[in-house]
Amino acid sequence: MIISVINRLPSSGKTSVCIALANRLNDMPDNVDKKTIIFDCDPSLTSYTKYDTFVKKNYRNPPDSYQVVPMPLDDDTLVFKILSDVKDKTDFFLFDFPSDFDEWMCMRILVSSNFIVLPYQPTEGNGVNFQNYLQYILNIRTSLAKSPLAMRSRLILVPVLKTPRDKEVEIQQPIEGFLMSPPIDMCENVLDSLDPIKTDNFDKLPYNQFNDFITDLIKSRKQTNQTEIKENKQTTTNQETNVTNCTVYDVNTENESENF
């Protein structure tokens, strides 16, 4: 399972959202046998630094299977190798992108993602630049629709309320093609006292509804995949049965027309 967290606007809450989701995925009883890995694609290594400084010390019980790994986006060989290693696995791999990345340069990751999560502040969400950015993402999906690199990931917008003004702004419905998660309310001194990597009281963090929303989507996707696998197996079995029961014609007989 590959989840990419993106937004060209800086300080939109990408790293906090990414770590909060990783904490939840690592915590879920159904995932005890799975790895949770954040690939920090930002040259400033924000996720890596916060994880190393706070998560290891304050998180309930971060196992060895939960870690953050620096990953430079300008090394295409490394990106390709990592994606080849993780794309078909059922573990959780989260890519925390910097704000100044080029989508076309990172296309391998985006088209391999099951979910693309886009945190944003509502005060910026109604602006022309942000709306154009959403349309740009959809244009990429459309342009790749008929190519081997088709982007089949689900696109999820996450309103992050970082200021009182964000709470006052009406959250507009996104352009068609995006899902909207519940907002994350970070206004009430969250940055100081309720940062997802600085507290032991995780049940009172403002990320719970967002995490519930994402994990429900993940469960739904797994159920859909399992259904498709069962249907494919049944189809294959039926095809094999039909082949076994079909009439075998001898096209080498003298009167071939009688066989058709």
Side-chain angles (χ1 to χ4, degrees), residues 195-256:
D195 192 293
I197 55 178
K198 294 184 180 179
T199 179
D200 292 324
N201 199 357
F202 287 88
D203 293 333
K204 292 187 177 180
L205 291 175
Y207 298 90
N208 288 336
Q209 286 186 310
F210 158 73
N211 283 334
D212 289 343
F213 180 81
I214 299 296
T215 53
D216 284 346
L217 287 177
I218 291 173
K219 291 176 183 177
S220 175
R221 188 179 186 94
K222 286 181 179 178
Q223 292 172 354
T224 301
N225 289 343
Q226 289 172 353
T227 300
E228 290 176 351
I229 290 172
K230 289 180 180 178
E231 290 176 349
N232 290 337
K233 286 183 178 179
Q234 185 61 48
T235 300
T236 301
T237 302
N238 292 341
Q239 290 174 342
E240 291 173 349
T241 301
N242 291 336
V243 169
T244 302
N245 295 334
C246 71
T247 303
V248 178
Y249 294 105
D250 183 4
V251 296
N252 294 319
T253 58
E254 292 183 2
N255 189 357
E256 294 180 359

